[in-house]
Amino acid sequence: MKPKSVIKLSDIKKVYKTSAGVETHALRGVNLDIREGDFVAIMGASGSGKSSLMSIVGLLDKHFEGTYTLNGQNVSELSDGKLSELRSESIGFIFQQFNLLKRTSVLENVLLPTTYRARPDDEIRALNAIKRVGLEKYVDNHTNQLSGGQMQRVAIARALMMNPSILLADEPTGNLDHKTAHEIMELFREINQQGTTIVLITHEDDIAAYAKQRYELYDGLFKKGGKS
């Protein structure tokens, strides 16, 4: 049985307009179908539309043309509140800059997604997420005491905290050395093998090689043939 579609983009277009009326076409009709358990890498040079696409997929930008269906729901039909709820339930974000709170413990950083949706078992789930990324010995360490690779592991644990079905990783190895970058990608591979769908933005071929499918954006469109 074919895995169900979790992210389906149909003819997605995104246009930015300046106050002077100048238009920039960031996405020109993107089509993409990502299924449960996929590990997809999206590549492209600066200005190709990667960031615009990630913002739309991550429900951070609802001002676009076309149809986006996430876990069976047409996101254009949802209110801001429902979009926020769907985002927090379904998607975990990981960024190049880690976006951690300094002088704050690993545990406290991982617990951040629960600030507005606390549950009695939050600390247990946070400790399990920390163990999952191999940092159980660093639970009480402040993040400014950690290496770059360890900080990215904290960010991954935080993204896993709400048990999302999808991880969006935007250049997650951009600030890491070669060895550490590949250690992080092995962790992503392991998480994917455990059932989480991963969408990875990268410009590095060796990092994209960890994905099961690879798509390349060029001037707002996937190159002919779609994936490689």
PDB file of all heavy atoms in Angstrom, residues 163-175:
ATOM      1  N   ASN A 163       6.375  15.604  19.220  1.00  0.00           N
ATOM      2  CA  ASN A 163       6.182  14.400  18.401  1.00  0.00           C
ATOM      3  C   ASN A 163       5.558  14.718  17.042  1.00  0.00           C
ATOM      4  O   ASN A 163       4.525  14.142  16.654  1.00  0.00           O
ATOM      5  CB  ASN A 163       5.311  13.380  19.149  1.00  0.00           C
ATOM      6  CG  ASN A 163       5.381  11.999  18.523  1.00  0.00           C
ATOM      7  OD1 ASN A 163       6.397  11.615  17.941  1.00  0.00           O
ATOM      8  ND2 ASN A 163       4.296  11.246  18.621  1.00  0.00           N
ATOM      9  N   PRO A 164       6.166  15.629  16.277  1.00  0.00           N
ATOM     10  CA  PRO A 164       5.599  16.016  14.982  1.00  0.00           C
ATOM     11  C   PRO A 164       5.755  14.893  13.967  1.00  0.00           C
ATOM     12  O   PRO A 164       6.665  14.067  14.060  1.00  0.00           O
ATOM     13  CB  PRO A 164       6.451  17.224  14.587  1.00  0.00           C
ATOM     14  CG  PRO A 164       7.782  16.937  15.211  1.00  0.00           C
ATOM     15  CD  PRO A 164       7.466  16.281  16.527  1.00  0.00           C
ATOM     16  N   SER A 165       4.879  14.883  12.987  1.00  0.00           N
ATOM     17  CA  SER A 165       4.993  13.891  11.916  1.00  0.00           C
ATOM     18  C   SER A 165       5.994  14.334  10.860  1.00  0.00           C
ATOM     19  O   SER A 165       6.471  13.514  10.062  1.00  0.00           O
ATOM     20  CB  SER A 165       3.624  13.657  11.269  1.00  0.00           C
ATOM     21  OG  SER A 165       3.090  14.871  10.753  1.00  0.00           O
ATOM     22  N   ILE A 166       6.333  15.649  10.860  1.00  0.00           N
ATOM     23  CA  ILE A 166       7.220  16.223   9.839  1.00  0.00           C
ATOM     24  C   ILE A 166       8.291  17.078  10.504  1.00  0.00           C
ATOM     25  O   ILE A 166       8.003  17.858  11.410  1.00  0.00           O
ATOM     26  CB  ILE A 166       6.411  17.109   8.864  1.00  0.00           C
ATOM     27  CG1 ILE A 166       5.317  16.302   8.170  1.00  0.00           C
ATOM     28  CG2 ILE A 166       7.334  17.764   7.828  1.00  0.00           C
ATOM     29  CD1 ILE A 166       4.246  17.163   7.520  1.00  0.00           C
ATOM     30  N   LEU A 167       9.526  16.936  10.041  1.00  0.00           N
ATOM     31  CA  LEU A 167      10.613  17.832  10.431  1.00  0.00           C
ATOM     32  C   LEU A 167      11.019  18.657   9.221  1.00  0.00           C
ATOM     33  O   LEU A 167      11.275  18.103   8.142  1.00  0.00           O
ATOM     34  CB  LEU A 167      11.836  17.056  10.923  1.00  0.00           C
ATOM     35  CG  LEU A 167      11.802  16.433  12.325  1.00  0.00           C
ATOM     36  CD1 LEU A 167      13.155  15.815  12.632  1.00  0.00           C
ATOM     37  CD2 LEU A 167      11.433  17.456  13.382  1.00  0.00           C
ATOM     38  N   LEU A 168      11.085  19.975   9.388  1.00  0.00           N
ATOM     39  CA  LEU A 168      11.606  20.871   8.352  1.00  0.00           C
ATOM     40  C   LEU A 168      12.962  21.371   8.818  1.00  0.00           C
ATOM     41  O   LEU A 168      13.057  22.042   9.851  1.00  0.00           O
ATOM     42  CB  LEU A 168      10.664  22.049   8.124  1.00  0.00           C
ATOM     43  CG  LEU A 168       9.250  21.746   7.638  1.00  0.00           C
ATOM     44  CD1 LEU A 168       8.507  23.052   7.343  1.00  0.00           C
ATOM     45  CD2 LEU A 168       9.260  20.860   6.409  1.00  0.00           C
ATOM     46  N   ALA A 169      13.991  21.050   8.069  1.00  0.00           N
ATOM     47  CA  ALA A 169      15.360  21.419   8.453  1.00  0.00           C
ATOM     48  C   ALA A 169      15.943  22.352   7.402  1.00  0.00           C
ATOM     49  O   ALA A 169      16.156  21.949   6.254  1.00  0.00           O
ATOM     50  CB  ALA A 169      16.217  20.162   8.585  1.00  0.00           C
ATOM     51  N   ASP A 170      16.188  23.594   7.802  1.00  0.00           N
ATOM     52  CA  ASP A 170      16.679  24.618   6.872  1.00  0.00           C
ATOM     53  C   ASP A 170      18.179  24.813   7.066  1.00  0.00           C
ATOM     54  O   ASP A 170      18.611  25.427   8.040  1.00  0.00           O
ATOM     55  CB  ASP A 170      15.925  25.924   7.127  1.00  0.00           C
ATOM     56  CG  ASP A 170      16.184  26.972   6.045  1.00  0.00           C
ATOM     57  OD1 ASP A 170      16.986  26.689   5.130  1.00  0.00           O
ATOM     58  OD2 ASP A 170      15.587  28.063   6.115  1.00  0.00           O
ATOM     59  N   GLU A 171      18.977  24.271   6.154  1.00  0.00           N
ATOM     60  CA  GLU A 171      20.444  24.340   6.213  1.00  0.00           C
ATOM     61  C   GLU A 171      20.956  23.957   7.612  1.00  0.00           C
ATOM     62  O   GLU A 171      21.737  24.701   8.229  1.00  0.00           O
ATOM     63  CB  GLU A 171      20.932  25.753   5.843  1.00  0.00           C
ATOM     64  CG  GLU A 171      20.557  26.204   4.451  1.00  0.00           C
ATOM     65  CD  GLU A 171      21.447  25.602   3.358  1.00  0.00           C
ATOM     66  OE1 GLU A 171      22.324  24.782   3.688  1.00  0.00           O
ATOM     67  OE2 GLU A 171      21.266  25.954   2.186  1.00  0.00           O
ATOM     68  N   PRO A 172      20.551  22.796   8.140  1.00  0.00           N
ATOM     69  CA  PRO A 172      20.879  22.455   9.535  1.00  0.00           C
ATOM     70  C   PRO A 172      22.351  22.198   9.792  1.00  0.00           C
ATOM     71  O   PRO A 172      22.774  22.162  10.954  1.00  0.00           O
ATOM     72  CB  PRO A 172      20.052  21.185   9.778  1.00  0.00           C
ATOM     73  CG  PRO A 172      19.955  20.552   8.418  1.00  0.00           C
ATOM     74  CD  PRO A 172      19.807  21.717   7.476  1.00  0.00           C
ATOM     75  N   THR A 173      23.145  22.009   8.738  1.00  0.00           N
ATOM     76  CA  THR A 173      24.579  21.753   8.921  1.00  0.00           C
ATOM     77  C   THR A 173      25.434  22.944   8.500  1.00  0.00           C
ATOM     78  O   THR A 173      26.662  22.852   8.475  1.00  0.00           O
ATOM     79  CB  THR A 173      25.009  20.513   8.108  1.00  0.00           C
ATOM     80  OG1 THR A 173      24.767  20.750   6.711  1.00  0.00           O
ATOM     81  CG2 THR A 173      24.230  19.276   8.543  1.00  0.00           C
ATOM     82  N   GLY A 174      24.797  24.072   8.190  1.00  0.00           N
ATOM     83  CA  GLY A 174      25.514  25.222   7.642  1.00  0.00           C
ATOM     84  C   GLY A 174      26.574  25.799   8.552  1.00  0.00           C
ATOM     85  O   GLY A 174      27.547  26.382   8.072  1.00  0.00           O
ATOM     86  N   ASN A 175      26.405  25.645   9.871  1.00  0.00           N
ATOM     87  CA  ASN A 175      27.374  26.200  10.823  1.00  0.00           C
ATOM     88  C   ASN A 175      28.264  25.130  11.451  1.00  0.00           C
ATOM     89  O   ASN A 175      28.918  25.389  12.465  1.00  0.00           O
ATOM     90  CB  ASN A 175      26.636  26.949  11.946  1.00  0.00           C
ATOM     91  CG  ASN A 175      26.135  28.303  11.483  1.00  0.00           C
ATOM     92  OD1 ASN A 175      26.642  28.860  10.529  1.00  0.00           O
ATOM     93  ND2 ASN A 175      25.124  28.819  12.148  1.00  0.00           N
TER      94      ASN A 175
END
